[in-house]
């Protein structure tokens, strides 16, 4: 398969990916309350091929991630200072009081759960106590943050711990452009380490990451999913790469990023759920209306079809729609 060659990236592009440049292109940060989650969401997701479960996601407000991935816009939902001890516990208590209980919980902090600047280590026992009733606790973390806190936190509650990692892509040029600061070897090592501790793995995979040509992007998602499956990942979520953080707009000008379409996401999910016996694959439907190639007539039915495929992990028939998008 031909690809944009990372050895042909110009010096201008490579220097444009520096931390300084990526941060300089950012817009305004949100004004967040350090004692409240930025959002709480309750939704169904597949728990295995053929079963579903209710999951509560608490979007915790804490310190910004110490990495600086080119495509990331999660810094908007973070604080510039280290998280004050006690604030994450207050946020979680508030979420559990105000939203109905679910069997599973995601604690997503727009950073790395095992970075003590974002989630103070001193808060982990109380967080674990609050999570005692959940069957599964899902947190997000960078593959190179592998410290003792992971095993310690896992031992603090009875449910299963699952660590979600942004694998994004195995496309070599795209990995360079994304500045993820880990190699595929690091990702495999992290999976092995977590597996040895009996901790489940989840991964985020980008559709049409920068440096991927539109006609090849579905194939690269499938290759990346295959890599995740080989590494024992339990669930992969396909996320359409989005603009909006300044650097993605800059990569668009460099002709290195092309916004993905709804049709590509449908194609990806349809093919992916057929490929793997055990690994769950879902499409992230957040901001679906921002994708190219849909209109007011087809967006709703196409969203519902993706929701059905996400939940059932089975292909669903396409409706005949009265528009010219598909
Ligand atoms: S590691 Fe995750 S949170 Fe941190 S910059 Fe990268 S994508 Fe964003
Ligand atoms: Zn349409």
């Amino acid at each position: 398969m031909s690809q944009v060659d990372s050895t042909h990236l110009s010096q201008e592009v490579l220097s444009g990916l520096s931390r300084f440049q990526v941060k300089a292109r950012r817009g305004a940060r949100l004004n967040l309350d350090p004692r409240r989650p930025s959002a709480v969401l309750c939704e169904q997701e597949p728990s295995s091929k053929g079963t579903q479960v209710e999951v509560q996601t608490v979007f915790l407000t804490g310190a910004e991630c110490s990495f600086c991935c080119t495509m990331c816009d999660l810094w908007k939902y973070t604080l510039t200072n280290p998280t004050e001890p006690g604030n994450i516990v207050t946020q979680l208590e508030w979420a559990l009081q105000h939203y109905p209980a679910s069997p599973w919980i995601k604690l997503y902090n727009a950073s790395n759960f095992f970075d003590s600047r974002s989630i103070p280590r001193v808060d982990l026992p109380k967080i674990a106590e609050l999570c005692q009733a959940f069957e599964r606790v899902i947190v997000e973390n960078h593959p190179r943050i592998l410290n003792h806190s992971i095993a310690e936190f896992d031992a603090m509650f009875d449910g299963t711990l699952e660590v979600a990692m942004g694998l994004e892509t195995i496309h070599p040029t795209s990995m360079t452009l994304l500045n993820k600061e880990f190699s595929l070897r690091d990702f495999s090592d992290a999976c092995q380490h977590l597996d040895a501790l009996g901790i489940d793995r989840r991964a985020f995979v980008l559709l049409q990451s920068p440096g991927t040509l539109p006609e090849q992007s579905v194939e690269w998602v499938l290759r990346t999913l295959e890599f995740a499956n080989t590494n024992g990942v339990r669930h992969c979520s396909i996320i359409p790469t989005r603009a909006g953080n300044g650097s993605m707009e800059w990569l668009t000008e460099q002709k290195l990023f092309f916004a993905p379409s709804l049709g590509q996401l449908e194609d990806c999910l349809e093919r992916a759920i057929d490929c793997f016996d055990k690994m769950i694959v879902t499409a992230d439907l957040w901001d679906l209306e921002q994708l190219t190639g849909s209109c007011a007539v087809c967006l709703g039915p196409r969203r519902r079809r993706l929701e059905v495929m996400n939940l059932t992990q089975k292909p669903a028939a396409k409706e005949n729609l009265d528009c010219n998008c598909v």
Side-chain angles (χ1 to χ4, degrees), residues 23-161:
K23 289 195 174 186
R25 293 187 202 103
R26 289 177 174 177
R29 192 179 287 270
L30 299 175
N31 187 16
L32 298 168
D33 182 344
R35 292 171 66 80
R36 286 284 173 272
S38 61
V40 182
L41 192 71
C42 294
E43 58 187 352
Q44 292 274 328
E45 72 164 48
S47 47
S48 68
K49 298 269 181 188
T51 58
Q52 288 111 40
V53 67
E54 179 89 14
V55 188
Q56 182 176 136
T57 307
V58 184
F59 294 94
L60 297 164
T61 307
E64 183 182 336
C65 176
S66 48
F67 295 89
C68 190
C69 306
T70 313
M71 79 303 173
C72 183
D73 56 8
L74 297 177
W75 51 269
K76 288 180 193 168
Y77 308 95
T78 62
L79 309 169
T80 49
N81 296 326
T83 312
E84 292 269 339
N87 280 353
I88 296 294
V89 171
T90 303
Q91 293 177 40
L92 186 52
E93 284 172 340
W94 183 89
L96 298 180
Q97 278 161 17
H98 289 82
Y99 289 82
S102 302
W104 290 13
I105 190 166
K106 292 177 188 167
L107 302 178
Y108 283 180
N109 63 315
S111 174
N112 302 296
F113 192 84
F114 296 106
D115 176 352
S116 59
R117 192 174 180 275
S118 297
I119 308 284
R121 208 162 162 225
V122 67
D123 284 347
L124 291 178
K126 186 67 187 170
I127 295 171
E129 192 185 317
L130 292 167
C131 290
Q132 193 57 262
F134 292 94
E135 291 166 18
R136 181 173 294 267
V137 179
I138 303 148
V139 301
E140 47 191 2
N141 203 52
H142 190 278
R144 279 183 45 218
I145 300 186
L146 290 179
N147 52 34
H148 293 305
S149 296
I150 301 178
E152 284 166 13
F153 182 64
D154 181 42
M156 287 175 194
F157 60 93
D158 295 336
T160 301
L161 178 60

Side-chain angles (χ1 to χ4, degrees), residues 107-229:
L107 302 178
Y108 283 180
N109 63 315
S111 174
N112 302 296
F113 192 84
F114 296 106
D115 176 352
S116 59
R117 192 174 180 275
S118 297
I119 308 284
R121 208 162 162 225
V122 67
D123 284 347
L124 291 178
K126 186 67 187 170
I127 295 171
E129 192 185 317
L130 292 167
C131 290
Q132 193 57 262
F134 292 94
E135 291 166 18
R136 181 173 294 267
V137 179
I138 303 148
V139 301
E140 47 191 2
N141 203 52
H142 190 278
R144 279 183 45 218
I145 300 186
L146 290 179
N147 52 34
H148 293 305
S149 296
I150 301 178
E152 284 166 13
F153 182 64
D154 181 42
M156 287 175 194
F157 60 93
D158 295 336
T160 301
L161 178 60
E162 179 166 306
V163 174
M165 297 178 283
L167 168 60
E168 324 298 8
T169 183
I170 63 165
H171 185 296
T173 309
S174 194
M175 288 183 75
T176 306
L177 289 170
L178 288 176
N179 256 339
K180 290 295 296 184
E181 295 191 42
F182 70 80
S183 64
L184 296 182
R185 180 65 194 262
D186 291 327
F187 185 87
S188 297
D189 287 351
C191 286
Q192 272 177 26
H193 179 77
L194 295 167
D195 190 32
L197 293 171
I199 295 170
D200 280 344
R201 282 82 63 203
R202 179 181 291 236
F204 304 115
V205 172
L206 288 177
L207 168 62
Q208 206 150 293
S209 51
T212 316
L213 298 172
E215 59 274 22
Q216 298 174 350
S217 56
V218 173
E219 291 303 327
W220 277 104
V221 169
L222 294 171
R223 282 181 174 207
T224 307
L225 293 172
E226 181 57 52
F227 176 78
N229 187 48

Side-chain angles (χ1 to χ4, degrees), residues 228-242:
N229 187 48
T230 307
N231 281 283
V233 169
R234 190 190 69 80
H235 182 152
C236 270
S237 175
I238 305 169
I239 302 179
T241 310
R242 55 180 179 259

